[in-house]
Each structure stands twice: as C-alpha cells, then as structure tokens.
Amino acid sequence: MPMDQNEIERLIKDALPDADVLVEDLAGDGDHYAARVVSSAFKGKTRVQQHQMVYQALQGRMGGVLHALALQTSAPAD
Amino acid sequence: MTEQSNPVFAEIQSHIDAEPVVLFMKGTADRPMCGFSAKVVQVLNYMGVPFRDVNVLADGAIREGIKQYSNWPTIPQLYVKGEFVGGCDIVSEMFETGELSEYLNGQGIDARQVGAR
C-alpha cells in the first residue's frame, strides 16, 4: 500500500515541528519519494543521527510501506 | 542497540570485524539486486576501495538483524572500521562533496580522491 505525500510530510512535522519539509513524488507512483528536511533539531547531529530522527518520525514505515524515500537533511544555516 | 540478545548480532559483528569496509547489500557486488545497493557498489568501485559484500537476500536473519543492529530501516548499509557510515543517500552525498574519500583516507583506507572539495 503506497503512502500519501501529505502523510509523510505530516508525520515529519509532528515529530519536528520547526522543520521545513519538501516531499517530492519521484516517479509519480506514490511509492518513490524524495524528502528534504531542514530543522534546527539537526544541529550538532551527524547525518546518520539526522536520518534516524526522520525515520523515527515515520514510525516504522520506512523500509516497510515506504520502501523508497531518498532523504536529505540539514540544519538551517545561521 | 537495544536488543543485545539477538543471536544474529554476533554473526553481523564477525562480518564487520573481518574487513575494514563492509557493505550489507541486496545481491552481490558483481550482481546487485537493487538500485540503491548498486549505487553504493559503484561509488566504492569508483574510488578503488576493496570491501566485503554481505548479501542480505541470502540470509533472512541478517536482513532483519542488521536493521536492528544499526537502528536503520533500509539496506544497503555501509560499515567502515566497525562504524556505521550510512545508507545510500548518505554515502552518495558524502561521495559528491568529497567527504567520503577524505573520511576513508582518515581511517587509513586508500580511496581515490573525488568530489567537490
């Protein structure tokens, strides 16, 4: 069961309220997405930790219903 | 790593300890079975970095176990000197910025210098 773009965005924003989230449907099939997430919560975290925070926000869907989400994370520039 | 008791963790650890660079992937380095795994293989080959490929499709216990071991939901997963570096997105991003060859060289691993820096 593919996942809705807005649902991805909502879950990330629920967990990281200040986040700037841009979700793109890469293939137009509701199954291959790219997300760019910018949040001050990422400050001082490694890339692995930043991605883990987003995966956490997606509550186990990553790797399951959401099999392809290309992820780019960063903290806002000062 | 919360579930220390998982019996497959020891086997995963033995792979990670066996070589400086270990890639848990779908398929083999010669024959990747997924685009994300293929991408990381391509990056490592391009940099001339030797690595051990562990095909998670050949072992369901490792396939599930590695996700818990790394607290990371997807495959491929790259380990360098026992440390989890990341999945396809992180490896690709580090490759493009030049951080990956820098990081590998810093770990004493010969890697062709490529990237923006």
Side-chain angles (χ1 to χ4, degrees):
Chain A
M1 183 62 182
M3 209 174 150
D4 182 58
Q5 194 165 334
N6 296 325
E7 175 79 353
I8 298 172
E9 211 172 300
R10 187 184 63 77
L11 286 167
I12 296 173
K13 282 206 166 142
D14 277 355
L16 305 163
D18 83 311
D20 215 347
V21 184
L22 183 72
V23 179
E24 253 186 294
D25 188 342
L26 288 178
D29 60 359
D31 203 22
H32 297 78
Y33 292 103
R36 229 196 117 72
V37 184
V38 181
S39 167
S40 59
F42 293 150
K43 251 179 213 160
K45 309 273 188 196
T46 65
R47 276 205 189 87
V48 166
Q49 288 168 337
Q50 294 177 7
H51 284 218
Q52 274 166 341
M53 287 163 78
V54 176
Y55 292 153
Q56 194 98 49
L58 295 170
Q59 301 168 11
R61 288 170 181 82
M62 190 64 197
V65 282
L66 197 52
H67 103 270
L69 174 72
L71 196 56
Q72 229 187 331
T73 57
S74 58
D78 291 316
Chain B
M1 268 178 268
T2 45
E3 297 179 42
Q4 296 287 359
S5 54
N6 191 325
V8 82
F9 285 2
E11 199 184 337
I12 289 170
Q13 188 69 53
S14 74
H15 282 296
I16 291 170
D17 292 341
E19 298 278 341
V21 183
V22 180
L23 180 64
F24 293 87
M25 62 177 289
K26 291 183 179 172
T28 61
D30 290 337
R31 202 155 177 271
M33 299 298 284
C34 154
F36 301 105
S37 292
K39 175 94 194 263
V40 177
V41 168
Q42 203 178 15
V43 161
L44 293 172
N45 284 344
Y46 187 75
M47 293 192 308
V49 174
F51 62 97
R52 166 179 289 215
D53 54 342
V54 181
N55 181 5
V56 303
L57 297 181
D59 189 329
I62 288 191
R63 183 178 184 171
E64 288 315 306
I66 191 68
K67 295 177 186 176
Q68 291 169 28
Y69 184 91
S70 314
N71 185 25
W72 195 259
T74 56
I75 288 153
Q77 298 187 11
L78 181 67
Y79 274 85
V80 173
K81 295 267 174 95
E83 195 184 335
F84 177 54
V85 177
C88 179
D89 296 323
I90 289 178
V91 170
S92 303
E93 199 179 334
M94 287 177 76
F95 174 68
E96 278 155 26
T97 58
E99 280 167 82
L100 190 58
S101 48
E102 227 168 74
Y103 173 75
L104 289 166
N105 289 332
Q107 296 287 324
I109 296 159
D110 277 338
R112 190 176 150 204
Q113 286 285 346
V114 275
R117 281 188 187 175

